Amino acid sequence: MENVILTVKGMSCGHCINSIEGNVGKLNGVHFVKVHLNEEKVEVSFISKMVSLKKITDVIEDQGYDIQ
């Protein structure tokens, strides 16, 4: 299991939380995703043999958010 904390810019509301947690959480291999809105952080636990960090970041960026 790999754990990462991403700095994500552009999140501002409950919709942002639901969008990121919902879409990243649907990926096969992702076990946990939590948005920390006030800190501009997204915490993700995943199995790297099943899903790449690039795939996770692509899903977030495809929704219009910027990963720092």
Side-chain angles (χ1 to χ4, degrees):
M1 186 79 63
E2 193 167 336
N3 300 303
V4 295
I5 297 177
L6 305 168
T7 299
V8 181
K9 302 292 183 183
M11 303 182 298
S12 61
C13 62
H15 170 75
C16 300
I17 294 169
N18 293 336
S19 180
I20 291 174
E21 288 182 354
N23 287 295
V24 173
K26 282 192 271 187
L27 294 172
N28 194 25
V30 172
H31 282 266
F32 174 82
V33 58
K34 176 69 177 161
V35 172
H36 302 279
L37 193 62
N38 294 336
E39 300 166 23
E40 298 183 320
K41 304 283 186 198
V42 176
E43 183 179 357
V44 186
S45 294
F46 63 100
I47 299 172
S48 56
K49 290 184 180 190
M50 295 178 71
V51 63
S52 67
L53 180 57
K54 170 119 176 63
K55 177 64 177 168
I56 293 167
T57 58
D58 285 350
V59 166
I60 294 171
E61 289 176 333
D62 287 350
Q63 295 175 73
Y65 306 104
D66 294 319
I67 297 175
Q68 303 293 302

